[in-house]
Amino acid sequence: MTTLGTAPVLSTPETHIFEDSTPIIAPEPSSRLSSIEIYDVYEVSRTTREILKGGWQRIALQFPDSMLTDGVRVFEALEKELKESSSITNESANKEGNHEEEALEKSFNNLTTTEAKESHQKHKLYILADTSYGACCVDEVAAEHVDAEVVVHYGRSCLSPTARLPVIYVFTTRPLDIDVVIHAFDQTYRERGKQQKILVIADITYNSHIPIILERLTRDGWENVLAPDVIHDPSALVPNREINIQEEELKTYSLFHISDPPPALLLTLNSRVKDLHIHPTSSTSALQTNTSITLRRRYALLTSLSTNPIFGILINTLSVRNYLETVTTIKKMIEKAGKKSYTFVVGKVNAAKIANFSEIGGWVVVGCWESSLIESTEFYRPIITPFELQLTLMGDEERVWTGEWRGDFGSIDAIAIEKTTPGKKGLEEVNGENNLEIGQDDDSEEESAPPEFDLRTGRYVSHSRPMRTTISASNPTPKSLGEPKNETVSQALTLKAKGDLATVNGAVSPGAEYLRTQRTWTGLGSDFSTGDASTSIEEGRGGIARGYRVGDEEKT
């Protein structure tokens, strides 16, 4: 008999606990910030001015996990600054009120000043510690729990446009060794000559150093170096950067990026510029990136989903503007392709959540553009972006990938629906002249459709478009415009699902079919039922826990 040397592991790993796919910048080991540094790094003065200018009274302060240690000190500093600024405003208001001559008017003005003073002092600050989604996104859901009028977002941000609340961004500038950056830049591009076209971009927390770096490079003789300004537009040619060059010209530029970009931004940038070099802040040299392997893996992933009949739409945000319109467009795209979609609202995506829905063959995530690229072997099914979904729903003869990639859903619009392989081809003809032969036309359409094969296994797939034959017959079209519409029940035509497929409210439901045919457990009591369920009603136990009774029996 063998004995255990250590205790057995009886719990799941920590990685299963509400993972956050947002790239996290690890805090550098440093001493505690002084009071002056707190005011400088967290821009307390600027934040106070913007709050007073906007007239907001309830303010939510959103911190990432790495900055929560400074949260209380920032709270106190901002509260103190708001009180001092409010008192100065009240003093000026009192001086104006003292110039009134009449006693009644003075009394009235003093009352008004007192009310104004009270209103200025009613600034309520709240710290948002646990975000509902990624730390880079503004958590409007948590802010609305405290009826906040504005959110102050600290740290790194994806700058996705918000839907409801105004936002004050504080990027919390991080220290950077300018000399090391200049040396790495010179080593990287010295052999190509100083006429090389180069874009210099830094992570948002290091962006305040860009003007100094650009000035040093210009002074050293680099003539064609551009440093675009920060804008709030993730769908721009260079995400969240303003450049005045065309897409074709951008391909002639090299890009020098300070700090490690998130994977989604890396794929996006590398597909739009000539080459990309990254200068990690912990290194003295720049590294050239190569995303070809990642792009090939993404292309193989979306190609494997081309025969998937059921898609799940993961709504991973409730704050990004126009996310509902995007979800509606994605549903229409999937329906147009003859496939079925189900919508799920989740917080932080992890493998344990989506593994509960085994009938879903692939997932489409709608959320923050920086955290939309989810790659992990822990997930039971693949997760793709809306941009990749467009390619997935195309036919094999139409699907051409030029290497472009984007994480935002700005490219998803109504035009994309027309590019999708139609799943209801011939619907107009079926409901038009040949109304009386609707079943026959539908049979010929499905039989004449080209066969589909799974590119991974080479097997024939017969159920990749389960919704192709689902045609609404609630308002059948008359045979011709000249004939009156026959509304008798005996003449009504209803197209039923082929085979013995499960339906919900008269519509084919692949999810219900999967539940009926492939799930071995369908609910409590299903594992020991041997026959038809009894329809008789029996009185069960009653009473309290210390003395139940069954039916008319006495307490036991």
Side-chain angles (χ1 to χ4, degrees), residues 238-249:
V238 176
N240 293 326
R241 297 298 187 275
E242 183 179 14
I243 56 175
N244 297 320
I245 57 179
Q246 300 299 323
E247 182 177 0
E248 294 300 326
E249 185 180 358

Side-chain angles (χ1 to χ4, degrees), residues 106-125:
K106 284 183 178 181
S107 177
F108 178 78
N109 289 331
N110 290 333
L111 177 61
T112 305
T113 303
T114 303
E115 293 176 351
K117 182 177 180 180
E118 292 178 355
S119 64
H120 281 297
Q121 292 179 348
K122 288 183 179 179
H123 288 100
K124 298 294 184 179
L125 304 180

Side-chain angles (χ1 to χ4, degrees), residues 136-138 153 155-162 167 169 171 204 230-235 239-241 320 368-370:
C136 65
C137 298
V138 178
H153 185 279
R156 193 181 187 284
S157 174
C158 59
L159 298 180
S160 297
T162 55
V167 184
Y169 289 98
F171 299 136
I204 203 70
V230 176
I231 58 175
H232 295 196
D233 186 9
S235 61
N240 293 326
R241 297 298 187 275
V320 179
C368 169
W369 68 277
E370 282 194 357

Side-chain angles (χ1 to χ4, degrees), residues 126-179:
Y126 303 89
I127 295 180
L128 307 181
D130 185 18
T131 57
S132 303
Y133 300 97
C136 65
C137 298
V138 178
D139 195 351
E140 289 186 324
V141 176
E144 289 181 341
H145 287 170
V146 295
D147 295 329
E149 300 172 348
V150 64
V151 179
V152 182
H153 185 279
Y154 293 99
R156 193 181 187 284
S157 174
C158 59
L159 298 180
S160 297
T162 55
R164 295 176 293 275
L165 296 179
V167 184
I168 300 174
Y169 289 98
V170 180
F171 299 136
T172 59
T173 300
R174 301 173 65 87
L176 181 67
D177 194 332
I178 304 298
D179 294 332

Side-chain angles (χ1 to χ4, degrees), residues 46 155 197 242 277 420 500 556:
R46 180 181 69 87
K197 296 181 179 180
E242 183 179 14
H277 288 79
T420 305
D500 190 17
T556 58

